[in-house]
Amino acid sequence: MSEAARLPLHRRPAFWAGGIFAAFGIISALRMTDAIGSTTGFILMVIAMLQIIPLTRASLAKQRSTGHLSPAIVRYTRRFLLASFGYMLGLGIAVTIADRVDLSEIESFLIALLPVIPVLGMIWTMARYLIEEEDEFLRHRAIMASLFGLGAVLTLGTFWGFLETFELVPHVPGWWAVPIWAMGMGLGQAWQSMGQKMDSSDEE
C-alpha cells in the first residue's frame, strides 16, 4: 500500500480539491438558476474558498514527504494564498457595492479594480517563484501546471462563448477566468504527479 493510500482523507490534497470543485459547482448551479442571490453566492464562495487552507497544508505535507518541497515553493504558496483571499474579498466587495449603490462610471471603474489588483499579485507571485526556484524539475512542473490552467481557461471560455452565442447557456461573468485558471493549475499538478507515479511503477 502506498503512503498516500495510508493517509486519512482529511490529509489528502485530493479530498480538499474535490470539496472545492463540488462547492463551486453547486454554487454556480444555484446562481445560474437564480435560486440564490449574488450576496448569498459570495458568502458561500468565501466559505468554499476556506478549504484552500487545509488543501495547502495537505499539499505542502505531501510535497515534503516526496522530496518535492523547496523554500521557493513555501514562499510561493503563502503569497498565492494571500492573493487568492484578496481576490475573493475584492470581488465580493465590488459585486456587493455594484448591486446596492448607484455608481458613476468613474466609481464603477475604481470598484472594478478591487479584484484586479490581487490578480496582478497572483501573476507576480508565479513569476517570482520561477525566478526564485533553483530546482529545474520543480520549475518545469510549475510551468506545465500554469500552461494547463491557461489551456483550461482558453478551452472552456471559447466553448462556453459559442454556446452562449447560440443561446444554449446563460451568460457567465468574465471573472470566472481566474478560478478556472487556478483549478486548472491544480489539475495540472495532479496530472503530473499521477504520471510520475506511473513511471515509477513501470521502472519497478
Side-chain angles (χ1 to χ4, degrees):
M1 183 179 294
S2 65
E3 181 179 353
R6 292 195 300 265
L7 292 175
L9 278 178
H10 68 277
R11 294 185 59 188
R12 301 181 191 179
F15 172 77
W16 296 107
I20 294 176
F21 273 109
F24 279 8
I26 294 173
I27 296 170
S28 298
L30 292 175
R31 283 290 295 121
M32 290 179 182
T33 57
D34 292 327
I36 58 176
S38 59
T39 302
T40 302
F42 165 65
I43 294 174
L44 293 177
M45 279 290 186
V46 171
I47 295 174
M49 284 290 291
L50 292 177
Q51 296 180 91
I52 288 182
I53 297 176
L55 170 61
T56 300
R57 292 178 177 175
S59 298
L60 290 177
K62 182 178 180 180
Q63 288 175 304
R64 185 179 294 108
S65 66
T66 58
H68 293 157
L69 185 65
S70 68
I73 289 181
V74 175
R75 291 192 295 269
Y76 160 78
T77 302
R78 291 172 179 170
R79 293 167 181 167
F80 199 87
L81 187 62
L82 181 61
S84 297
F85 280 111
Y87 170 77
M88 289 299 299
L89 182 61
L91 176 63
I93 293 175
V95 171
T96 301
I97 292 178
D99 287 345
R100 299 185 177 184
V101 180
D102 187 15
L103 302 172
S104 64
E105 291 185 1
I106 296 179
E107 291 171 336
S108 297
F109 177 83
L110 295 176
I111 289 297
L113 289 177
L114 291 177
V116 173
I117 295 175
V119 171
L120 295 177
M122 295 179 188
I123 298 173
W124 175 85
T125 295
M126 176 61 68
R128 192 64 190 172
Y129 168 72
L130 296 178
I131 294 173
E132 295 178 352
E133 182 57 76
E134 298 178 356
D135 190 308
E136 294 184 3
F137 172 72
L138 296 179
R139 189 187 303 119
H140 172 75
R141 282 174 58 98
I143 292 174
M144 293 302 296
S146 297
L147 290 176
F148 197 98
L150 178 60
V153 172
L154 295 176
T155 302
L156 293 177
T158 302
F159 179 57
W160 193 274
F162 277 116
L163 294 179
E164 188 175 324
T165 299
F166 300 147
E167 299 182 351
L168 297 175
V169 295
H171 173 69
V172 173
W175 52 260
W176 267 101
V178 174
I180 292 175
W181 171 64
M183 289 186 285
M185 283 201 306
L187 288 175
Q189 290 283 9
W191 174 71
Q192 291 181 89
S193 297
M194 290 178 61
Q196 185 179 359
K197 289 181 180 179
M198 293 178 63
D199 292 340
S200 299
S201 299
D202 292 340
E203 292 178 358
E204 295 176 357

